[in-house]
């Protein structure tokens, strides 16, 4: 068999790409020409939603969970509240917030934090007033920290300086302290003939701390800043600390706050 010339392969790929673009354009035109769905009909089709666990043990194996739900265009306004119930009609505490919106401003995706008090094989999510948990996550501010308490765990989060998490206590016992971000920079390429490589250490420097979600089931605190060494600051960071009621019921699995850091960089390293 004679080999296929590279030029022929490139031409075929280009033709396939053009066909795909043309087909997509036709689909987009048809979609735009379709009539807009009636909001009442969309809401009726979206309500209620049954939520089933992929694992057999369900919420009993992992009390307290966060999940996302998609919605058809026009179903609910962005300020819609949601209620969660079990199959037998028992109210379940839930905290909801929008993730994405359709071009008309209606909800496209929502997130829901489920409290750990109730276990069930399936839940029903519908528009309504959410049930309040028996024990709420609370937030207070003062003395240079933002204090978040789940009723069992209390985290003191720094507003300035280099320490993001001042301390985490469970009851009267301190289980963590002095949590910070550390950046190690290697300024030279490693060369075995020249000896060991050298590193520069940059510590986190907080510029802003704010509460993004304020309970009652879940609290999220965001910390922004840069890494600093002497007078040099670089590599901005954003850290979000979620604390929820699940940390009361499963201390062995989620005893401490989980740090989820996103580092953004600008300029030349």
């Amino acid at each position: 068999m004679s080999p296929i010339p590279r030029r022929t392969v490139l031409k075929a790929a280009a033709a396939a790409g053009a066909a795909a673009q043309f087909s997509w354009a036709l689909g987009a035109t048809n979609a735009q020409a379709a009539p807009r769905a009636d909001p009442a009909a969309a809401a009726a089709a979206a309500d209620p939603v049954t939520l089933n666990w992929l694992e057999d043990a369900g919420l009993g194996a992992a009390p307290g969970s966060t999940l996302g739900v998609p919605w058809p265009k026009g179903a609910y306004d962005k300020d819609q509240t949601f209620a969660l119930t079990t199959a037998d009609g028992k109210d379940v505490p839930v905290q909801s917030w929008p993730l994405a919106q359709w071009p008309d401003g209606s909800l496209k995706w929502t997130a829901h934090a489920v409290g750990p008090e109730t276990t069930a094989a399936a839940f029903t999510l519908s528009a309504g007033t959410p049930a309040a948990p028996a024990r709420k996550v609370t937030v207070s501010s003062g003395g240079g920290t933002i204090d978040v308490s789940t009723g069992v765990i209390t985290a003191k989060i720094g507003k300035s300086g280099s320490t993001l998490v001042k301390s985490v206590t469970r009851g009267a016992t301190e289980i963590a302290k002095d949590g910070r971000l550390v950046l190690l920079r290697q300024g030279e390429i490693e060369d075995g003939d020249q000896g060991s490589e050298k590193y520069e250490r940059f510590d986190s420097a907080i510029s802003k701390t704010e509460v993004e979600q304020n309970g009652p089931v879940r609290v999220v605190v965001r910390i922004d800043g840069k890494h600093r060494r002497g007078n040099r600051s670089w590599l901005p960071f954003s850290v979000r600390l979620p604390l929820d009621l699940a940390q009361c019921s499963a201390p062995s699995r989620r005893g401490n706050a989980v740090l989820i850091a996103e580092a953004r960089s600008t300029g030349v390293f």
Side-chain angles (χ1 to χ4, degrees):
M1 176 182 291
S2 59
I4 301 176
R6 180 172 178 271
R7 185 183 300 274
T8 301
V9 175
L10 294 177
K11 286 182 178 179
Q21 291 286 345
F22 182 69
S23 175
W24 177 87
L26 288 177
T29 301
N30 293 337
Q32 291 175 358
R36 182 177 179 179
D38 178 54
D47 185 20
V49 172
T50 301
L51 306 175
N52 296 287
W53 298 101
L54 297 178
E55 299 177 358
D56 293 337
L59 200 60
S65 296
T66 300
L67 54 95
V69 176
W71 302 103
K73 184 178 180 180
Y76 296 116
D77 294 333
K78 62 179 181 180
D79 297 326
Q80 178 64 55
T81 59
F82 294 91
L84 191 69
T85 58
T86 61
D88 57 0
K90 182 179 180 180
D91 292 332
V92 180
V94 64
Q95 180 176 327
S96 307
W97 62 96
L99 292 178
Q101 297 177 352
W102 290 100
D104 65 354
S106 61
L107 288 175
K108 187 175 186 180
W109 276 92
T110 54
H112 308 272
V114 184
E117 296 94 338
T118 304
T119 60
F123 296 89
T124 299
L125 183 70
S126 59
T129 302
R135 178 170 49 198
K136 300 179 180 180
V137 183
T138 60
V139 181
S140 60
S141 179
T145 63
I146 293 177
D147 300 344
V148 182
S149 176
T150 66
V152 174
I153 292 174
T154 300
K156 292 183 176 293
I157 302 166
K159 295 181 180 179
S160 61
S162 62
T163 304
L164 278 62
V165 180
K166 301 286 188 181
S167 66
V168 179
T169 57
R170 179 176 176 82
T173 303
E174 186 177 67
I175 59 177
K177 65 178 182 178
D178 298 335
R180 66 184 68 191
L181 295 180
V182 175
L183 169 66
L184 296 179
R185 176 182 178 270
Q186 182 181 348
E188 300 176 355
I189 299 176
E190 182 178 353
D191 189 345
D193 296 335
Q194 300 298 324
S196 60
E197 60 274 13
K198 296 181 180 180
Y199 293 94
E200 290 180 300
R201 172 174 170 147
F202 291 77
D203 290 321
S204 51
I206 300 172
S207 59
K208 182 181 180 181
T209 302
E210 62 178 341
V211 178
E212 286 192 335
Q213 294 185 28
N214 189 1
V217 176
R218 166 188 168 103
V219 167
V220 177
V221 179
R222 172 173 171 169
I223 307 172
D224 294 320
K226 291 184 178 181
H227 294 86
R228 178 177 298 170
R229 176 184 173 88
N231 295 326
R232 182 184 180 187
S233 296
W234 74 322
L235 198 60
F237 64 81
S238 293
V239 173
R240 287 180 171 86
L241 288 80
L243 292 100
D244 55 54
L245 292 176
Q247 291 164 335
C248 299
S249 58
S252 61
R253 181 176 66 92
R254 301 181 62 188
N256 298 335
V258 179
L259 295 179
I260 304 175
E262 297 178 354
R264 305 181 305 274
S265 60
T266 57
V268 179
F269 293 176

